Each structure stands twice: as structure tokens, then as C-alpha cells.
Amino acid sequence: MSLALAPLDVSVEIEANLPCRKFDPDLWFSDSPAQLELAKSLCGDCPLRVECLAGAVERNEPWGVWGGEIFERGAVVPRKRPRGRPRKADVARDAELAHEVEERLAANGLDSRNSVRLAA
């Protein structure tokens, strides 16, 4: 009598090492700006980051962190603002961050004007 061994499924091994599989999934869909920044940072070393971002853009994801970017109401935002009126310094910082997001999207082969809407 012989035992048959199941073939090694490489995709299962890769998925086990993805940050979104190792940590609490709610972190990627949090309302807290600090938690979303943490999720973005965890995506930085993910081997599927570019594919994840491209898929989220293609699906028009309504919200969450996908491919190291924050989506809110179907748009990529540089950071999630806390509740309340933004301070003037935050508005200026948001403009800088929006430019950085456009550069990252372009570096990943995604045209921000045609593929995804950037929130102001």
C-alpha cells in the first residue's frame, strides 16, 4: 500500500506570507487614519503589491488599502483625514501627498487620469 502525496501548491505558500493574510484583515479597512497608514506600510514588502493595486483600480474598489494605497469612495487618496475641518498645514501636505500618489501610480504603469480618479 502506498501513500499518494499531494503536489505542492506554491500559491498557498505565497498567500500565507502576504501581510493581508498574516495580520487582522480589518486593519486594511479601518476608519482610523493611523491604522490605515500601518496597513500601507505593511504592503510595502508584499510580492503582490503591484498586482493588488492594479486589480483594485480595475475593480473600482470603494474603500480600503489595496497595493499600498488608500481607496476612499473609489478614489486613491494620499491619506485618510480624521474627522473635522482640516488645518491649513494638512491641506498643503495633502497636495504634496497627492503628487506623490500620482508618481507611484505612474511608476506602476497606471495612468491616474484614465485608470483611477484621485481625490482632492
Side-chain angles (χ1 to χ4, degrees):
M1 182 151 71
S2 68
L3 295 174
L5 297 176
L8 177 64
D9 189 354
V10 177
S11 65
V12 171
E13 186 177 318
I14 290 173
E15 281 189 25
N17 291 323
L18 299 177
C20 56
R21 302 283 195 238
K22 289 170 42 175
F23 297 94
D24 183 10
D26 290 339
L27 183 64
W28 276 260
F29 299 96
S30 176
D31 286 329
S32 164
Q35 287 185 344
L36 291 177
E37 290 299 322
L38 175 59
K40 278 176 56 173
S41 70
L42 292 171
C43 289
D45 295 330
C46 180
L48 298 178
R49 186 181 57 80
V50 173
E51 293 85 352
C52 179
L53 178 60
V57 168
E58 186 178 309
R59 291 187 306 272
N60 294 322
E61 284 293 341
W63 62 294
V65 175
W66 298 92
E69 300 293 342
I70 298 174
F71 284 73
E72 188 171 311
R73 292 186 214 110
V76 175
V77 295
R79 69 181 182 91
K80 182 170 174 81
R81 291 185 187 162
R83 291 184 181 195
R85 186 177 182 153
R87 297 175 183 209
K88 290 181 183 178
D90 289 341
V91 172
R93 181 173 173 237
D94 285 348
E96 288 178 26
L97 290 173
H99 180 69
E100 288 179 22
V101 166
E102 284 190 34
E103 288 177 350
R104 286 195 305 266
L105 288 172
N108 289 316
L110 299 170
D111 182 16
S112 64
R113 282 177 249 125
N114 296 329
S115 301
V116 66
R117 182 175 56 96
L118 290 175

